Amino acid sequence: MAGLKFDYAPAPESRAIVDIKSSYGLFIGGEFVDSIDGRPFKTISPASEEVLADITEAGPRDVDRAVAAARSAFESTWSGMRPADRAKYLYRIARIVQERARELAVLESLDNGKPIRESRDVDIPLVAAHFFYYAGWADKLPYAGFGPDPRPLGVAGQVIPWNFPLLMLAWKIAPALAAGNTVVLKPAETTPLTALVFAEICQQAGLPPGVVNIVTGAGDTGRALVEHPGVDKVAFTGSTEVGRLIAKSVAGTDKKVTLELGGKAANIIFDDAPIDQAVEGIVNGIFFNQGHVCCAGSRLLVQESVYEDVLASLKRRLTTLRVGDPLDKNTDIGAINSAAQLARIKELSDVGEAEGAERWSPPCELPDRGFWFPPTLFTGVSQAHRIAREEIFGPVLSVLTFRTPDEAVEKANNTPYGLSAGVWTDKGSRILSIAAQLRAGVVWANTFNRFDPSSPFGGYKESGYGREGGRHGLEAYLDV
Ligand code: NAD
């Protein structure tokens, strides 16, 4: 009935499919082992603050043991294996990920706080797609454009963040293995569980011991890994701050490095854009995954002539977003990943208000327990405001305006970052012209936050260097 609002009935995904152990060791040399010099820490559900499991924070000797296992596997089996056989393992992993997709999606939502709709429909299908894609490259490396006989680098030390835990693992491990390297991977401290199930999947696939090693822990474990002299290649995704430390620590060594860091993307709406579609793109750009997305469209640039229309539609749309239980299939926005991240989002939003921007959120009831933040937008934002310059990494949108295409490009590029951007317009020629002028690794046209394993991804300036995904993603793991 028009005009009446109905509540949705709860539609919880069952968590019976996951079997979380009370404690986990480290995955080294093909088996779960106790730590030598580590200590336990807990991983919690950010939606309820319930403790999910005891996890091991690996110490330097644990990391040493993992790197030794990876070296031994590299020399004894993996680098010399027929490429078509390496491919078989990757295909097998991809298929097992598909078979266990529901379990992985529920576990990811529990540990990370993201809505099950996203982990089920985006994260896990993309994880399988990455393994399928790079499995296809394993026996075609001589045709990848890196010479007739490209060689692997050796042992890769890989450190990933908490926003797409299993997907970031796939981005790191699939190309490394396809190219003939072995890996030691450290997941983020707040989201270790799917990486540990991935370790089980490696066992299930019969992957030779030591090809994949998973060491859990926080910054100290990550530092021990990237500084380890036995590591030939460092691959890091995370904050620009830690990226800088890593760049310093590997300077002067012969380690190869790729850094995928932060972003502050502009999403540019021209006055000839289809407004309803653009509003969906704006919402997807900043509220997908609670805005915990490095390439999030966190700066909205709207052409002045359509500003009122866009803002009114956007506010209307935001009132329909459902914030709450990540395991409910109707939830659009889940929990913020940690108390620390929530504190940062609150702090920067308060700064936005203090600096004179106007804050707006739709009416929305937040759960009592757990870490929550309502979808929020700021208008009256100037380029000098901190909320227009710093990465908030939460569901907070800063709205700015422009009059001419040149002004849009100038404002979009006025950032220390350069990871992604979006352009919304009806004119193909304008898309091409604006995209060519934007200093961003990825430019989406009339869409946002689209990912595909065959598309390279990476940044300019403080967003890092190197590319992941596609044929370009192989280069980072080959001696070329
Ligand atoms: P973070 O830099 O704090 O942590 C990332 C990882 O690095 C974690 O596993 C952490 O334990 C580890 N770490 C911390 N200190 C370390 C050190 N000194 N040496 C080695 N490892 C260390 O970042 P975060 O808060 O987990 O993630 C959010 C950031 O990641 C955001 O800035 C976001 O933009 C970025 N990110 C970038 C991409 C991309 O592809 N460009 C993708 C996802 C996230």
Side-chain angles (χ1 to χ4, degrees):
M1 250 192 289
L4 280 184
K5 251 177 131 179
F6 291 97
D7 269 347
Y8 283 68
E13 177 76 42
S14 165
R15 61 185 274 184
I17 193 162
V18 298
D19 174 22
I20 304 176
K21 299 181 178 54
S22 57
S23 67
Y24 289 85
L26 305 167
F27 184 67
I28 297 177
E31 45 187 27
F32 283 93
V33 298
D34 290 336
S35 161
I36 306 170
D37 59 346
R39 50 182 180 200
F41 70 98
K42 294 189 190 310
T43 189
I44 64 168
S45 154
S48 63
E49 297 172 62
E50 164 202 355
V51 172
L52 295 172
D54 276 335
I55 306 294
T56 305
E57 181 178 346
R61 289 175 62 200
D62 294 319
V63 170
D64 200 37
R65 188 171 161 199
V67 172
R71 172 69 52 200
S72 157
F74 178 75
E75 283 167 6
S76 65
T77 45
W78 198 247
S79 64
M81 186 181 280
R82 259 179 13 104
D85 288 334
R86 282 207 302 262
K88 280 186 207 164
Y89 287 106
L90 291 173
Y91 280 122
R92 221 180 268 170
I93 289 172
R95 282 195 300 270
I96 299 172
V97 167
Q98 286 185 322
E99 282 160 20
R100 298 180 68 170
R102 204 157 76 84
E103 171 194 355
L104 289 166
V106 171
L107 195 58
E108 199 75 303
S109 283
L110 274 173
D111 205 16
N112 169 282
K114 64 174 68 200
I116 185 73
R117 209 158 47 78
E118 291 177 6
S119 46
R120 182 196 63 196
D121 297 347
V122 182
D123 294 55
I124 308 303
L126 276 173
V127 170
H130 265 82
F131 279 98
F132 277 122
Y133 175 80
Y134 279 109
W137 271 118
D139 61 350
K140 299 173 196 69
L141 298 178
Y143 311 102
F146 306 117
D149 185 25
R151 310 296 306 158
L153 294 168
V155 175
Q158 307 178 317
V159 177
I160 57 172
W162 44 262
N163 56 344
F164 294 92
L166 196 63
L167 184 57
M168 290 300 106
L169 172 149
W171 281 27
K172 295 274 177 287
I173 293 185
L177 263 46
N181 304 273
T182 55
V183 307
V184 180
L185 177 131
K186 191 199 83 64
E189 52 273 39
T190 56
T191 53
L193 289 179
T194 45
L196 292 163
V197 170
F198 182 81
E200 286 174 21
I201 290 174
C202 292
Q203 288 179 322
Q204 211 181 332
L207 192 71
V211 172
V212 168
N213 305 275
I214 308 280
V215 290
T216 43
D220 286 345
T221 308
R223 195 168 54 238
L225 177 57
V226 300
E227 290 180 359
H228 196 288
V231 163
D232 302 297
K233 148 88 190 172
V234 172
F236 173 75
T237 297
S239 60
T240 299
E241 193 189 346
V242 174
R244 270 199 201 101
L245 294 175
I246 292 178
K248 271 191 203 143
S249 84
V250 299
T253 71
D254 56 5
K255 290 175 189 170
K256 252 187 132 172
V257 191
T258 39
L259 299 174
E260 299 282 358
L261 311 175
K264 191 76 189 175
N267 203 0
I268 308 170
I269 317 292
F270 283 98
D271 58 6
D272 63 341
I275 300 293
D276 289 348
Q277 278 177 40
V279 165
E280 287 308 307
I282 297 165
V283 170
N284 177 36
I286 185 63
F287 300 113
F288 170 61
N289 203 33
Q290 296 72 246
H292 299 330
V293 184
C294 49
C295 50
S298 51
R299 281 185 303 148
L300 179 65
L301 300 185
V302 188
Q303 196 153 19
E304 256 183 34
S305 45
V306 289
Y307 173 75
E308 297 297 338
D309 280 358
V310 170
L311 202 69
S313 300
L314 184 58
K315 285 185 171 176
R316 235 183 353 259
R317 178 69 176 89
L318 292 193
T319 59
T320 68
L321 290 180
R322 300 171 57 80
V323 184
D325 180 6
L327 286 187
D328 191 311
K329 285 172 254 183
N330 292 321
T331 292
D332 298 304
I333 299 189
I336 300 302
N337 180 252
S338 64
Q341 187 59 29
L342 179 59
R344 178 169 166 77
I345 298 169
K346 283 185 171 161
E347 184 202 325
L348 271 169
S349 301
D350 292 346
V351 167
E353 251 177 324
E355 287 185 336
E358 192 180 325
R359 176 180 187 153
W360 182 89
S361 289
C364 114
E365 258 178 53
L366 300 178
D368 299 332
R369 285 187 66 76
F371 315 129
W372 304 93
F373 198 83
T376 298
L377 60 83
F378 279 97
T379 50
V381 179
S382 89
Q383 295 189 82
H385 286 162
R386 280 180 65 194
I387 52 168
R389 307 200 62 76
E390 294 181 29
E391 187 181 43
I392 301 176
F393 221 57
V396 182
L397 179 66
S398 299
V399 186
L400 297 95
T401 57
F402 67 91
R403 289 186 183 169
T404 63
D406 284 349
E407 190 188 347
V409 169
E410 196 190 313
K411 285 188 168 167
N413 286 340
N414 183 5
T415 166
Y417 295 109
L419 193 55
S420 66
V423 186
W424 296 80
T425 170
D426 200 30
K427 292 189 184 62
S429 56
R430 181 179 275 164
I431 290 171
L432 295 175
S433 137
I434 299 286
Q437 297 174 70
L438 292 173
R439 293 282 292 162
V442 179
V443 180
W444 284 291
N446 292 330
T447 186
F448 209 94
N449 273 342
R450 290 268 175 172
F451 306 98
D452 186 279
S454 63
S455 296
F457 185 90
Y460 285 97
K461 301 191 278 186
E462 290 188 15
S463 292
Y465 41 79
R467 293 292 178 266
E468 291 189 315
R471 186 187 67 82
H472 301 72
L474 287 168
E475 187 174 355
Y477 290 97
L478 290 170
D479 186 11
V480 290

